[in-house]
Amino acid sequence: MTSVIENTIEIARPPEAVFDYLADQGNEIHWNPDCLSMQKLTEGPVGVGTRFRAKWKQGPVVETECTRFDRPRSWQYENGGQISVVLTVTLEATPNGGTRLTSHGAWTPHGWFRIVFPVFIRVMRRAEHIVVANARRALEERHDASATAVAKVGE
């Protein structure tokens, strides 16, 4: 019973700037009002194997892990829990120097959560549409969009 949520949006920043800011999940606390906390659990730069402990308004605390990191084209995070999510983001350069971002999330409920999942996924479809719009706004409003901010919430 996996459901897919996919959104595509154009961002007026080059793919490298979009990748550097958004692939670091620690930055989500700065631009997603539904992100309540984000704590990096691993040392070093973000890449395959980087893990975060995250809490969003819509769910419990989860651990996410970066399972793909192909700068500046794509990244992927996966988490387990009551709802496992595999989120893959791909970036394509646009002719005007911007980026086309496609967010593809495969959401799978487990256990008792399968009962409420149909309602939950409808809510998340709307929420994820807003999330990508917030990401675009954050990047386009940044004067230093190629710089990566550091978020150490809960440390």
Side-chain angles (χ1 to χ4, degrees):
M1 169 192 285
T2 297
S3 290
V4 171
I5 299 175
E6 186 166 292
N7 288 288
T8 300
I9 198 162
E10 290 200 18
I11 301 171
R13 294 284 188 208
E16 294 80 8
V18 174
F19 187 96
D20 291 345
Y21 188 65
L22 296 180
D24 182 346
Q25 200 172 25
N27 290 325
E28 188 168 347
I29 194 81
H30 299 294
W31 57 265
N32 183 354
D34 289 340
C35 183
L36 301 177
S37 67
M38 187 66 66
Q39 178 184 13
K40 189 174 179 205
L41 302 174
T42 53
E43 298 290 325
V46 173
V48 171
T50 300
R51 291 181 299 115
F52 288 89
R53 182 175 297 119
K55 171 73 174 103
W56 291 275
K57 287 180 185 176
Q58 300 89 344
V61 173
V62 296
E63 284 193 16
T64 66
E65 181 174 348
C66 182
T67 56
R68 182 184 314 156
F69 194 83
D70 181 22
R71 184 181 188 272
R73 291 177 285 283
S74 68
W75 69 88
Q76 181 173 286
Y77 278 91
E78 298 183 28
N79 67 268
Q82 295 173 335
I83 301 175
S84 60
V85 179
V86 177
L87 176 67
T88 306
V89 178
T90 57
L91 307 176
E92 298 174 71
T94 60
N96 62 357
T99 302
R100 179 174 295 107
L101 178 148
T102 301
S103 169
H104 178 96
W107 300 63
T108 306
H110 302 283
W112 67 268
F113 205 81
R114 286 182 278 209
I115 297 166
V116 297
F117 185 70
V119 173
F120 176 84
I121 201 67
R122 276 190 294 248
V123 170
M124 291 311 300
R125 284 187 197 289
R126 286 188 295 267
E128 288 296 305
H129 184 73
I130 293 167
V131 165
V132 295
N134 286 342
R136 176 182 64 196
R137 187 171 21 270
L139 274 152
E140 290 179 350
E141 291 175 357
R142 287 174 57 91
H143 298 292
D144 64 339
S146 64
T148 301
V150 177
K152 294 188 179 183
V153 176
E155 289 186 63

